[in-house]
C-alpha cells in the first residue's frame, strides 16, 4: 500500500526521468539558461591586425602612384614620340600604333584568362566559346564602344602631335563635361547645383587655357603643328570618351562578365577596326615605307604602356576611393606641367595658370558627394560585385 502511494506521488509530481517529455523539458530549460547567460556577455568586435592595415595602406597609395604614373607617363611619352623621329628619320604612323596596342592588349587578356583557368587549354577554349561564339548578342552590343574607343585612341595621337602635354592634360578634362551631359540625356541622371556649377567652371577654365596659347619649344620650332587641330582632336576625343562610357554602362549594367573577358570581346572588333583604319587612312605610306616605319624603342614603350597601363588601372581603381582618384587626376596635371617645363621648355603664362586652376577646382567640386541623392541618381556603376566610377 505504501509502495503504491509512493509511485502515485512520483507520477503526480512530474514525468519520469526516462520519459521523452522530461528529456525535452530539460533541453528547453538548458537552452533558455544558455541564452540568458550569453545575452549578458558583451559582444567583442574583431580587431584588425596591424598587418592588414599596412597592406591596405600599401594598396591604397600604390594605386595612387599607379594612377598618376599612367596618366602622366603615357601623355609625356606620346608627346615625346610624336615630336622625335625614329632611327630612320621618319615619324611612325599613329594608326599602326593603335593596331599594335589593341593586339597586345588582346593577347594580355587571353593570357590572364588562360592563367585563371589553371593554364588549361580546354578551360580557355570553354571560356571563349561561352562568351564569344555562344554570345553573339553581347558582341553586337559591343560594336559601338569598340569603334568609338579605336577612334578615340587615334584622336589622342593626333592631339598630342599638335599640343603640348600640359595643355592636353587640362583640355582633356572636358571628358567630365561630356560624360555628365550624356549621363543626363541617355540615363536620365540628375545632378546637384554644385555639380552643374563645377561643369560651368570647367568649361571656362578650358576656354582660358586654350586662349592663352601656351606651348612648348617643340611646337614653336615645328611649324607643322596646328594648335587648332589639336583642340578639335581633344574635344572629339572627350566626346567619344563620354558617349562610349555612358553607352557601355547603359547596355551592360549588372553584367557579371569579368574585365578580361569583356576586353577580349571588345578586342575582336577593335583589332579589325584599327587594321581597317590603318590600311584605308595610311595605305600609301604603308605600301611605300612599310607598316613599322618610324618605330623605335620609345614607340614600343608607348604602345606597351598604353596597352598594359589601361588594364592595370582598371584593376586597381576598385582599391582607390573617389577622393584618391580626384587627387591623382589633379596631381597628374601639375606633374605634367612641371615635367613639361623641365623636359620640353614649357613656359605657362598667367592665363594658363588661371585656367588650369579653374579646371582643378571644378574637378574637386564635381567629385564631392551630394548630401542627399534621389533614388534614380547612381553615381557609380555596378558590374557584378565591382563598382567603378563613370569618370576617371
Amino acid at each position: 500500500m505504501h509502495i503504491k502511494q509512493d509511485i502515485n506521488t512520483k507520477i503526480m509530481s512530474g514525468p519520469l526521468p526516462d520519459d521523452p517529455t522530461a528529456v525535452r523539458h530539460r533541453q528547453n530549460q538548458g537552452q533558455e539558461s544558455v541564452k540568458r547567460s550569453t545575452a549578458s556577455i558583451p559582444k567583442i568586435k574583431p580587431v584588425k591586425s596591424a598587418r592588414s592595415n599596412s597592406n591596405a595602406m600599401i594598396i591604397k597609395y600604390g594605386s595612387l602612384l599607379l594612377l598618376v604614373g599612367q596618366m602622366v607617363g603615357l601623355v609625356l611619352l606620346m608627346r615625346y614620340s610624336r615630336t622625335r623621329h625614329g632611327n630612320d628619320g621618319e615619324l611612325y604612323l599613329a594608326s599602326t600604333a593603335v593596331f599594335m596596342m589593341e593586339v597586345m592588349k588582346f593577347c594580355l587578356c587571353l593570357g590572364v584568362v588562360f592563367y585563371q583557368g589553371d593554364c588549361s587549354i580546354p578551360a580557355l577554349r570553354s571560356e571563349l566559346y561561352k562568351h564569344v561564339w555562344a554570345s553573339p548578342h553581347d558582341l553586337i552590343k559591343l560594336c559601338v564602344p569598340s569603334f568609338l574607343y579605336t577612334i578615340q585612341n587615334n584622336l589622342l595621337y593626333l592631339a598630342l602631335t599638335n599640343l603640348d602635354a600640359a595643355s592636353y592634360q587640362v583640355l582633356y578634362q572636358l571628358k567630365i563635361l561630356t560624360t555628365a551631359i550624356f549621363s543626363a540625356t541617355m540615363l536620365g541622371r540628375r545632378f546637384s547645383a554644385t555639380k552643374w556649377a563645377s561643369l560651368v567652371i570647367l568649361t571656362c577654365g578650358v576656354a582660358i587655357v586654350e586662349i592663352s596659347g601656351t606651348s612648348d619649344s617643340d611646337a614653336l620650332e615645328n611649324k607643322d603643328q596646328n594648335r587648332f587641330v589639336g583642340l578639335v582632336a581633344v574635344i572629339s576625343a572627350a566626346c567619344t570618351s563620354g558617349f562610349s562610357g555612358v553607352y557601355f554602362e547603359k547596355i551592360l549594367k549588372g553584367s557579371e562578365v569579368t574585365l578580361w573577358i569583356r576586353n577580349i570581346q571588345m578586342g575582336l572588333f577593335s583589332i579589325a577596326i584599327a587594321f581597317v583604319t590603318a590600311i584605308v587612312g595610311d595605305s600609301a605610306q604603308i605600301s611605300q615605307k612599310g607598316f613599322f616605319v618610324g618605330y623605335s624603342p620609345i614607340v614600343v614603350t608607348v604602345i606597351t604602356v598604353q596597352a598594359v597601363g589601361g588594364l592595370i588601372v582598371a584593376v586597381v581603381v576598385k582599391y582607390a576611393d573617389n577622393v584618391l582618384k580626384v587627387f591623382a587626376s589633379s596631381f597628374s596635371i601639375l606633374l605634367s606641367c612641371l615635367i613639361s617645363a623641365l623636359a620640353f621648355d614649357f613656359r605657362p603664362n598667367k592665363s594658363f595658370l588661371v585656367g588650369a586652376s579653374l579646371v582643378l577646382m571644378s574637378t574637386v567640386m564635381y567629385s564631392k558627394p551630394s548630401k542627399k541623392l534621389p533614388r534614380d541618381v547612381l553615381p557609380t556603376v555596378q558590374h557584378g560585385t565591382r563598382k567603378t566610377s563613370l569618370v576617371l
Side-chain angles (χ1 to χ4, degrees):
M1 184 68 181
H2 291 288
I3 297 174
K4 186 177 181 180
Q5 186 177 2
D6 292 338
I7 294 175
N8 291 334
T9 303
K10 291 180 181 180
I11 293 174
M12 293 295 293
S13 62
L16 293 175
D18 295 333
D19 188 15
T21 305
V23 175
R24 288 195 299 270
H25 181 69
R26 289 195 301 270
Q27 290 177 349
N28 293 335
Q29 288 181 340
Q31 291 175 357
E32 292 179 357
S33 62
V34 170
K35 289 181 179 179
R36 287 194 297 268
S37 61
T38 55
S40 60
I41 300 176
K43 294 182 179 180
I44 301 176
K45 296 182 179 181
V47 180
K48 293 183 178 180
S49 63
R51 178 176 297 180
S52 61
N53 292 334
S54 177
N55 292 337
M57 294 294 290
I58 292 175
I59 293 175
K60 182 177 181 179
Y61 291 104
S63 302
L64 171 64
L65 293 176
L66 188 58
L67 284 171
V68 173
Q70 198 271 342
M71 291 177 182
V72 177
L74 178 60
V75 172
L76 293 174
L77 284 172
M78 288 178 68
R79 173 62 178 172
Y80 181 83
S81 67
R82 298 304 292 174
T83 56
R84 302 293 190 277
H85 297 291
N87 298 328
D88 51 3
E90 297 286 346
L91 183 64
Y92 70 97
L93 301 176
S95 58
T96 63
V98 172
F99 171 77
M100 295 305 301
M101 183 270 296
E102 294 292 347
V103 171
M104 183 178 295
K105 186 167 64 174
F106 183 81
C107 295
L108 288 173
C109 292
L110 278 179
V112 173
V113 175
F114 176 71
Y115 177 78
Q116 291 177 342
D118 297 330
C119 300
S120 171
I121 295 295
L124 176 62
R125 189 187 303 116
S126 176
E127 286 291 318
L128 294 179
Y129 178 83
K130 177 182 177 181
H131 296 289
V132 177
W133 182 259
S135 302
H137 186 63
D138 284 350
L139 293 180
I140 293 175
K141 291 190 295 185
L142 291 171
C143 288
V144 174
S146 299
F147 173 77
L148 292 176
Y149 283 133
T150 305
I151 298 301
Q152 176 186 339
N153 287 325
N154 282 277
L155 289 172
L156 295 183
Y157 276 98
L158 178 61
L160 283 168
T161 304
N162 295 276
L163 290 174
D164 57 273
S167 298
Y168 166 84
Q169 284 277 40
V170 175
L171 296 174
Y172 194 50
Q173 299 306 310
L174 281 174
K175 63 185 178 181
I176 300 176
L177 174 63
T178 59
T179 302
I181 293 175
F182 286 120
S183 297
T185 55
M186 297 174 60
L187 301 179
R189 185 160 296 157
R190 293 184 293 174
F191 298 96
S192 63
T194 302
K195 290 186 181 296
W196 285 118
S198 69
L199 295 176
V200 174
I201 295 174
L202 172 66
T203 306
C204 295
V206 169
I208 293 174
V209 169
E210 176 55 28
I211 294 173
S212 68
T214 305
S215 59
D216 55 20
S217 59
D218 292 320
L220 297 175
E221 295 172 1
N222 192 347
K223 301 302 181 181
D224 294 333
Q225 297 184 18
N226 191 324
R227 187 176 179 86
F228 178 76
V229 173
L231 174 64
V232 174
V234 168
I235 294 176
S236 301
C239 291
T240 56
S241 175
F243 179 81
S244 56
V246 174
Y247 177 86
F248 194 82
E249 172 192 355
K250 183 176 182 179
I251 65 175
L252 298 173
K253 180 181 290 186
S255 175
E256 296 182 357
V257 179
T258 64
L259 170 70
W260 314 108
I261 291 294
R262 189 64 74 200
N263 276 279
I264 290 175
Q265 292 174 332
M266 295 182 63
L268 294 173
F269 294 103
S270 298
I271 290 174
I273 295 171
F275 182 76
V276 172
T277 303
I279 296 300
V280 173
D282 298 312
S283 58
Q285 296 188 50
I286 291 176
S287 60
Q288 294 176 4
K289 303 176 183 179
F291 192 85
F292 298 102
V293 59
Y295 273 56
S296 64
I298 190 66
V299 177
V300 177
T301 303
V302 169
I303 295 173
T304 305
V305 170
Q306 192 175 13
V308 179
L311 295 176
I312 294 178
V313 170
V315 173
V316 302
V317 154
K318 63 180 180 180
Y319 297 109
D321 54 21
N322 200 41
V323 176
L324 199 65
K325 286 184 287 184
V326 173
F327 180 79
S329 178
S330 303
F331 187 69
S332 65
I333 295 176
L334 299 177
L335 191 59
S336 295
C337 294
L338 178 61
I339 297 178
S340 296
L342 297 176
F344 299 100
D345 197 22
F346 174 75
R347 294 294 180 265
N349 54 27
K350 293 181 180 180
S351 298
F352 180 89
L353 295 177
V354 171
S357 300
L358 291 176
V359 171
L360 293 177
M361 183 176 67
S362 66
T363 304
V364 175
M365 288 177 58
Y366 184 85
S367 302
K368 285 186 63 177
S370 303
K371 294 181 179 179
K372 291 183 179 180
L373 291 175
R375 294 184 64 182
D376 58 342
V377 176
L378 302 175
T380 53
V381 185
Q382 185 170 357
H383 298 285
T385 59
R386 187 177 68 92
K387 293 183 178 180
T388 59
S389 174
L390 285 176
V391 180
L392 177 57

